[in-house]
Structures are given as C-alpha cells and as structure tokens.
Amino acid sequence: MPLSLPARDTAHGLPLNYSRFQPPDVRLPRHIAIIMDGNGRWAKARHRPRSIGHRAGARAVNACIDACLVKGIEALTLFAFSSENWQRPPEEVGALMQLFLRALDREVDELHRRGVRVRFIGAREAFGEDIRTRMARAENLTQGNSRLHLSIAADYGGRWDMVQAARAVAHAVAAGNLAPEDIDEARLAGCFSLHDLPAPDLFIRTGGELRISNFLLWQLAYCELYFTDTLWPDFDAAALTHALDDFARRERRFGMLSEQLGEEPFP
Ligand code: IPE
Ligand code: IPE
Ligand code: MG
C-alpha cells in the first residue's frame, strides 16, 4: 500500500514545500515521536497506585492523537513499552498488559473511523496471544488509512531494531542477493522499523528525564529533541502546541551552514 506522504527534499530532509518564509506555526513537524514518561510519578503525587497513573496516561494518548489530527501531523510514534520495561515488577507489567488490551478493544474502531492507520513496532512475540491477535486486527483494519500514521512502540528497543535490521541484511547476503560492499546507509535504513515514513523530526520526552532510553536510535539521528518536565498524564493539546512552537523556531542545518539552506537564521 503506497503511502500518500508528500515528496521530501532528501538533501535537507525537509518537505518540498517547506519554506523559510512560512509563518512559524506552519513549520510543522511531519513526524513526532514521543517518550510518554511520568505516569508513575503522576500517580505517586496523588498517593495513588502506579496503575492509576498508567490509566491517566492512556487518556493522554487519546488527547494527543486528537491534537495531532487537529494540527494535521502526518505521523505520530508513541513509546508505550520498552524492551527493558519487562523488568518492572510483575504486577505492574500485568496492569500495563490489561490496559493495552482494553485500549485495543476500545479505541481501534474509532481510530479507524477517523482515518488513522495503526501499526505496532517491536518484538511482539513476548505478548500474549490475546494482545497479538488484536494488534494484527488493528493493523489489518486500518492499513488503508492515511490521515495520521500512528505507530505504537511496544516491546520496542532501538537496539532490538538495529539487531533485526542487521539480521535482515545478513539474510540477504547469505542468500546471495546482496554483496557486502553494497550495504550502505540507504540499504540499512530500509530494514529499520518505520522505514516507509519520513524520519521523526520532533522528539518529545515528558517527565523531566533527559535521555533517549533505547527509543528510535537510528531514526532520531537528525531529530529535534524537546524535553519537558510535564508528566505524561498532564500532557495536553496546549503542551503539544508549546512543543510545536519550540520546533518552529529551530533552524535545522543537517551539518550545513544557514547560508547553504538559503535561509536567514530565525529571529
Ligand atoms: C511511562 O511512565 C510508562 C511506561 C514506561 C510504561 P513511567 O511508568 O515510567 O512513570 P515514571 O517515570 O515512573 O513516573
Ligand atoms: C521509557 O520510559 C519507556 C517508555 C516510556 C515506554 P522509562 O521510564 O522506562 O525510562 P527510564 O527507565 O527512566 O530510562
Ligand atoms: Mg519512567
């Protein structure tokens, strides 16, 4: 299914219609990737169990998707559960799985109705059959949609992504379909999750931590990073607008000089 994303200026990684002369609020990221962090601390501040924080976090996911639809964002990737999160106490992992299951049951049809394409990135095998079946259903149901490309990273790690990309390339070499000297960035990039989307141009991490925590390691190479102390359950449309305004003021140089971009520095 070909994607309907507009052409991209590969030299600058920018949409072809991207212009210095557009007002700041038009300089929208095409693809936002978010580490939704701070659910536990949100609950703790209210003397509630962590699972209540995760439930509030799920509501914030809906609000964020709504805001992205309103703003016309093309792709949104949400870090829901990392490869490392399996190491949390079993009762927390269990609560997260229940929440995940419920969200899949409750939200997918509505997302489909609104033209959202849903997909999951990550290892997947460790999830129960009930969850995996619902993931596959959501992906099949929504695969023809293109209003917003929503990717949920679940049992995902950037290192896992690198390993599976390396394995795919190794298979092609072993099968005699690829010479080692023909392995280049483009070939490898094509093996990573989300390879058919523009790379994220805005990364947001809520919850105050200043780290990537094994999220999209390859794909974030030239992403603009935005960190906020706001805890994920409190991240609303206004908070997203704040991040977008910050993004709009950035000058993305991709290793070059302002002059080479044909743009004056932003005020
Ligand atoms: C993010 O919130 C949700 C997941 C990692 C699943 P946390 O659960 O990490 O919340 P804090 O960081 O402990 O507050
Ligand atoms: C990152 O948050 C993973 C998700 C939000 C799913 P963590 O809370 O697991 O990250 P660390 O442990 O603080 O690095
Ligand atoms: Mg955390």
Side-chain angles (χ1 to χ4, degrees), residues 36-41 50 54 80 85 88 92 96:
M36 310 182 289
D37 196 21
N39 294 351
R41 280 163 284 164
R50 292 178 60 86
H54 293 312
N85 288 149
R88 292 190 177 193
E92 172 148 354
L96 284 166

Side-chain angles (χ1 to χ4, degrees), residues 127-170:
F127 290 117
E129 183 60 33
D130 46 1
I131 289 181
R132 278 184 286 144
T133 305
R134 285 165 175 81
M135 284 174 159
R137 176 185 172 268
E139 289 179 331
N140 291 334
L141 179 70
T142 65
Q143 63 182 339
N145 297 340
S146 58
R147 190 169 162 215
L148 172 69
H149 294 264
L150 173 66
S151 305
I152 308 289
D155 195 5
Y156 177 86
R159 289 174 178 168
W160 166 85
D161 212 354
M162 287 183 173
V163 168
Q164 66 81 26
R167 193 176 290 149
V169 167

Side-chain angles (χ1 to χ4, degrees), residues 34-39 41 50 78-85 88 153 156 205 209 211-215:
I34 307 183
I35 297 187
M36 310 182 289
D37 196 21
N39 294 351
R41 280 163 284 164
R50 292 178 60 86
L78 300 174
F79 205 4
F81 193 83
S82 74
S83 313
E84 291 74 25
N85 288 149
R88 292 190 177 193
Y156 177 86
R205 180 169 187 147
E209 309 294 357
R211 53 181 174 253
I212 304 287
S213 297
N214 199 16
F215 197 23

Side-chain angles (χ1 to χ4, degrees), residues 71 90 94 101 104 121-123 125-126 133 138 146 157 161 194 220 226 229 238 243 246:
K71 290 181 185 296
L101 201 59
L104 284 164
I121 58 169
E125 296 82 25
T133 305
S146 58
D161 212 354
L194 309 180
L220 294 180
Y226 176 87
D229 289 336
D246 191 289

Side-chain angles (χ1 to χ4, degrees), residues 157-187:
R159 289 174 178 168
W160 166 85
D161 212 354
M162 287 183 173
V163 168
Q164 66 81 26
R167 193 176 290 149
V169 167
H171 276 302
V173 172
N177 297 327
L178 180 67
E181 49 277 15
D182 290 336
I183 299 172
D184 56 11
E185 286 191 20
R187 174 77 205 203

